[in-house]
Amino acid sequence: MSGNVYDELKERGFVAQVSDEGAVRKMLEGKPITFYVGFDSTAASLHAGSLVPIMAMVHLRRAGHRAIAVVGSGTTMVGDPSGKTEMRQLLDEATIRAQGRAIHFQLARYLRFDGTNAIAVDNADWLLPLNYIAFLRDIGRHFSVNRMLAAEAYKLRLEKGLSFIEFNYQLLQAYDYLTLYRKYGCTLQMGGDDQWGNILAGVDLIRRVDGGAAEALTFPLLTTASGAKMGKTAQGAVWLDAALFGPYDFYQYWVNCDDRDVGRFLRIFTLLPLDEVRRLESFKDSGINEAKRVLAYEATKITHGEVDAENARKAAAAVFVRGSSEAKTSAKGDASVLPTTAIPRARLEAGISPAELFTEVGLTPSRREAKRLVEQGGLYVNDKRVDSVERLLTVKDLGADGGMLLKAGKKKIHRVVAG
């Protein structure tokens, strides 16, 4: 390893495309530069897929470079067509602003905004006050419609229809780059590979308008080895907000990853030294489970903190490693760490079918799937197999600690208590 953070990003798997590799490597080995990544306010939380740009930013921050996180309340009002087959639903400004504040709060956990070395800005501050005619004259004249239509993001949409409002998105993102170049001296924009055309448009705009030099770097759009989109499960998104997706579930998402993904995920989603990553990814057969536990712990620690990561690790051991000394000493104390749902006591006294309860708490996507798992012997209550779809779960199934442990297969677990 040369010590250049660009080379580390490349070895860890963060680099998909780069405008000028020699120029980017040179700028990152010299004096600190300013770089930025944008996060549109399309939801109240970022998800596990968002960790790719976040972790790249963390690496550059650790190397001494200045980070700007752009919360895209302005661009969200237009909607990015990149990677979408249909137009995004347009949200009202109040919702966008509220979601932007939530994303700002989440990003602060990773980037430690101090106003100097790590900065958070909202592009609504400069986009919303724009005079449309002046913007078209000053900025729009530098864009070729033919070149824009040749961009992959727009080509994919032309068959199904591309709205005029979406067609403006590239101009706005390019203007973001120009604004940050002028105000902060920002010379590197990073983003997902579907943003390549938009980022290059900003590079070109800076050159045309100010005669400046700026660069672009994109990250690969990750999918799991099975082909699933990164950060998605059968039950929905793997949110970074603990209120939407708890630390235990977050830990389990990583520990249950495909064996083929372990090395790649260790490189991207942890801060472990590469020598340690190489050691862990060399594990075979049953040893791969140890590498998965390290991955899950490190990824959870970065997002939820060391205490929640440790609690999740112990809770997993208590549930899935029943015979171990750690499980015996920690099972009782860590029950509260498990994802838990309170069910009205009256409902439990009346009795609830396994299909209804397992689906309600999110262990199965549907009652039909729950019934299928019962037939295959895949549902458990308090470690005892559910042998009939006709069986009712009642207050009698609550343990001494007041909880009922539900398991779907070997890896998905939920705790129910009487509310």
Side-chain angles (χ1 to χ4, degrees), residues 41-43 76-78 88-96 99:
S41 313
T42 52
T76 304
M77 292 184 188
V78 171
R88 294 176 186 266
Q89 178 185 1
L90 290 179
L91 304 172
D92 62 84
E93 184 174 350
T95 298
I96 291 171
Q99 292 179 169

Side-chain angles (χ1 to χ4, degrees), residues 248-249 252 314-322 327 330-343 348 354 357-358 361 363 378-386 391 393-418:
Y248 178 83
D249 287 329
Q252 287 299 311
K314 288 181 178 179
V319 173
F320 297 113
V321 197
R322 287 281 177 183
S330 64
K332 182 178 180 181
D334 289 316
S336 62
V337 179
L338 298 175
T340 300
T341 297
I343 301 295
L348 287 172
L357 188 56
F358 274 77
V361 302
L363 286 179
L379 295 189
Y380 298 82
V381 175
N382 299 326
D383 287 329
K384 294 182 179 179
R385 182 177 285 122
V386 177
R391 179 191 168 185
L393 306 177
T394 71
V395 289
K396 294 180 180 179
D397 293 297
L398 297 174
D401 65 348
M404 182 192 310
L405 205 60
L406 309 182
K407 288 173 66 176
K410 296 180 178 180
K411 299 178 179 179
K412 297 169 65 177
I413 190 164
H414 201 94
R415 183 170 176 261
V416 167
V417 296

Side-chain angles (χ1 to χ4, degrees), residues 340-362:
T340 300
T341 297
I343 301 295
R345 191 173 187 86
R347 287 184 63 196
L348 287 172
E349 289 176 344
I352 306 175
S353 74
E356 179 180 354
L357 188 56
F358 274 77
T359 303
E360 183 173 333
V361 302

Side-chain angles (χ1 to χ4, degrees), residues 16-84:
Q17 299 187 76
V18 60
S19 51
D20 184 331
E21 186 170 63
V24 171
R25 179 182 283 110
K26 185 175 181 179
M27 70 163 52
L28 291 177
E29 70 183 0
K31 64 182 182 179
I33 66 156
T34 300
F35 66 93
Y36 98 89
V37 176
F39 299 87
D40 275 358
S41 313
T42 52
S45 173
L46 299 172
H47 53 78
S50 309
L51 286 172
V52 176
I54 290 172
M55 293 301 293
M57 295 178 80
V58 169
H59 283 292
L60 289 187
R61 280 280 290 115
R62 285 157 60 98
H65 301 290
R66 180 165 69 157
I68 300 178
V70 175
V71 175
S73 296
T75 40
T76 304
M77 292 184 188
V78 171
D80 182 7
S82 302
K84 297 294 179 182

Side-chain angles (χ1 to χ4, degrees), residues 130-139:
L130 282 175
N131 180 298
Y132 185 61
I133 299 299
F135 179 72
L136 289 179
R137 286 174 59 87
D138 295 341
I139 302 301

Side-chain angles (χ1 to χ4, degrees), residues 54 60 124 130 138 184 204 220 265 270 295 300 333 343 356 371:
I54 290 172
L60 289 187
L130 282 175
D138 295 341
Y184 298 103
D204 187 56
F265 287 0
T270 81
L295 165 65
T300 305
I343 301 295
E356 179 180 354
K371 291 177 180 178

Side-chain angles (χ1 to χ4, degrees), residues 155-214:
K155 283 167 61 178
L156 292 172
R157 286 294 305 279
L158 287 177
E159 292 185 8
K160 291 208 169 186
L162 178 70
S163 72
F164 179 72
I165 189 173
E166 293 175 295
F167 194 63
N168 285 270
Y169 191 92
Q170 187 175 105
L171 278 71
L172 298 180
Q173 185 168 334
Y175 186 68
D176 283 349
Y177 202 173
L178 177 63
T179 299
L180 297 173
Y181 171 83
R182 288 173 169 174
K183 186 171 183 178
Y184 298 103
C186 180
T187 54
L188 176 64
Q189 181 185 172
M190 304 191 297
D193 205 35
D194 57 349
Q195 296 294 311
W196 180 242
N198 293 342
I199 298 176
L200 284 184
V203 170
D204 187 56
L205 183 64
I206 289 170
R207 179 184 60 82
R208 289 173 178 272
V209 175
D210 282 9

